[in-house]
Amino acid sequence: MTETRKVVFIGGSAYSGSTMLDMMLSNHPAGFSVGEVNALFQPFRPHHFKPQCGCGLAACNLWQEVRQAGMDRLYSKVFELHPQVKFIVDSSKAPFWIEKQARSAAAQGYEVHHLLIWKPAAAFAHSMLKRGEDNWARNWKSYYRLYYALFPQHHSVSYEALAADPAGSLEALCRLLGLAYQEGQEQFWGKQHHTLFGNDSAKIHLFDGNSAGYSSHEQELVEADSAKHRNIYQDKSYQQALPAEVSDLLRSDPEVQLISSLLEQAAPDPQKLAEAAFAKQRVLAGRLVAHLRNLAGRLLGRYVRVY
Ligand SMILES: [Zn+2]
């Protein structure tokens, strides 16, 4: 009997460490990272229209082949092109993408897993405010409320716990997913990933000074921050840097409190989870907005950042 192939979906808000977790898991001889592959099929920014493979090799035409195969055949195409691969990690994060793709993967006989990586609300607020985006609270809550409505069965992964003990945390996660942890697997830069899109500050760790496909700008980034290079860490300076009204809101908002307590449970309490989850109508409205966004992305994303 052959072992069932798996697809692992990573959910999480922006800046949650999903690209890093994706590459850590798939840094396994039987693993394969597809990164934020949703943007290949549902592009919404100019660079999505000319995808550059994470491996940096100009001759790599993996994503052209995958795009041709179509959304439904995405994972089976990767399995077909890479017969040694037994599990794929998809860190697209977008809840409706995960919903559709998980259903399709399950129908094709693959074992499906859902991981939700998170950082504290304060860290998210800090990352958003730094970029001049002040609607962080609504953003943060909506992501989780929708995710909870769609995926009540998931495993919650704390980025801070992962950064504090990468090997131990990853070993536990592998066990959960039915994979044999490989010594040193957390050092994800050891492999030539083909990861698509995702977070550049995670992908910069793949750069070893001789890698193909990296610009002089990226070289400079590595040199400027060489202490952090190939070093998994959590910068906790956000705790001091938050404006008082943000800290107040974090302490007083009951929804932030509820979601934060759910995130801290690896397998959250179903009743509490249902309390936090969006109601059916709200999910429906979100679905409509997502369709419109995809449409706008397809039409305009070539020229501007649609969102
Ligand atoms: Zn490639």
Side-chain angles (χ1 to χ4, degrees):
M1 213 184 94
T2 54
E3 187 188 347
T4 309
R5 289 182 163 149
K6 308 172 205 275
V7 184
V8 180
F9 291 94
I10 300 181
S13 72
Y15 320 119
S16 55
S18 56
T19 303
M20 197 189 80
L21 176 60
D22 174 338
M23 292 192 291
M24 276 185 172
L25 282 168
S26 53
N27 183 28
H28 183 289
F32 195 96
S33 160
V34 294
E36 298 188 7
V37 70
N38 63 327
L40 185 69
F41 296 96
Q42 299 168 344
F44 53 90
R45 291 182 184 174
H47 73 281
H48 296 156
F49 286 84
K50 26 184 190 326
Q52 289 196 333
C53 186
C55 73
L57 301 173
C60 177
N61 60 357
L62 170 72
W63 299 113
Q64 280 84 336
E65 287 190 54
V66 168
R67 181 152 58 185
Q68 255 166 27
M71 262 172 86
D72 266 344
R73 302 239 316 113
L74 147 59
Y75 310 116
S76 55
K77 189 72 189 173
V78 172
F79 285 130
E80 177 196 313
L81 292 171
H82 298 269
Q84 82 286 5
V85 170
K86 299 285 179 253
F87 70 95
I88 291 172
V89 187
D90 180 331
S91 56
S92 297
K93 300 184 299 202
F96 292 119
W97 167 269
I98 302 179
E99 183 190 39
K100 192 169 189 326
Q101 293 300 101
R103 200 172 287 157
S104 154
Q108 290 171 61
Y110 302 132
E111 188 182 307
V112 167
H113 293 271
H114 293 290
L115 301 178
L116 178 65
I117 187 157
W118 63 278
K119 285 181 187 171
F124 179 75
H126 180 65
S127 294
M128 289 287 274
L129 292 170
K130 216 163 59 181
R131 292 165 176 85
E133 300 182 50
D134 46 17
N135 57 347
W136 64 270
R138 209 192 56 182
N139 227 302
W140 190 81
K141 290 191 273 191
S142 311
Y143 183 85
Y144 293 109
R145 297 186 66 192
L146 177 59
Y147 188 91
Y148 290 160
L150 299 179
F151 315 106
Q153 302 281 340
H154 67 269
H155 183 87
S156 183
V157 181
S158 154
Y159 177 87
E160 292 193 342
L162 184 65
D165 176 16
S169 309
L170 194 61
E171 193 175 355
L173 266 179
C174 283
R175 206 174 312 126
L176 179 91
L177 299 170
L179 305 169
Y181 167 78
Q182 306 286 304
E183 189 74 40
Q185 196 183 329
E186 60 283 359
Q187 292 160 27
F188 58 87
W189 45 84
K191 182 169 174 176
Q192 190 180 60
H193 298 269
H194 297 271
T195 311
L196 200 55
F197 310 121
N199 186 283
D200 287 336
S201 56
K203 289 175 91 172
I204 199 81
H205 295 288
L206 303 178
F207 179 78
D208 71 359
N210 305 304
S211 324
Y214 285 87
S215 65
S216 55
H217 170 65
E218 284 156 331
Q219 173 81 58
E220 279 164 29
L221 281 177
V222 170
E223 281 164 9
D225 231 346
S226 59
K228 290 181 187 166
H229 194 54
R230 298 194 162 179
N231 189 3
I232 299 151
Y233 79 108
Q234 162 71 41
D235 178 3
K236 292 195 178 170
S237 61
Y238 67 85
Q239 288 163 335
Q240 283 80 45
L242 284 178
E245 69 268 22
V246 175
S247 310
D248 287 349
L249 190 141
L250 286 169
R251 264 193 301 272
S252 61
D253 187 311
E255 282 179 349
V256 172
Q257 300 295 316
L258 174 60
I259 294 169
S260 300
S261 74
L262 285 165
L263 290 172
E264 279 168 24
Q265 304 164 24
D269 171 42
Q271 213 163 347
K272 290 264 180 224
L273 200 116
E275 241 174 76
F278 272 152
K280 278 207 174 75
Q281 280 91 339
R282 187 62 183 75
V283 174
L284 210 62
R287 208 180 287 282
L288 183 67
V289 171
H291 277 303
L292 293 174
R293 273 184 171 191
N294 289 345
L295 184 66
R298 206 157 35 232
L299 295 174
L300 305 168
R302 195 181 297 275
Y303 314 106
V304 289
R305 287 171 63 126
V306 172
Y307 59 91

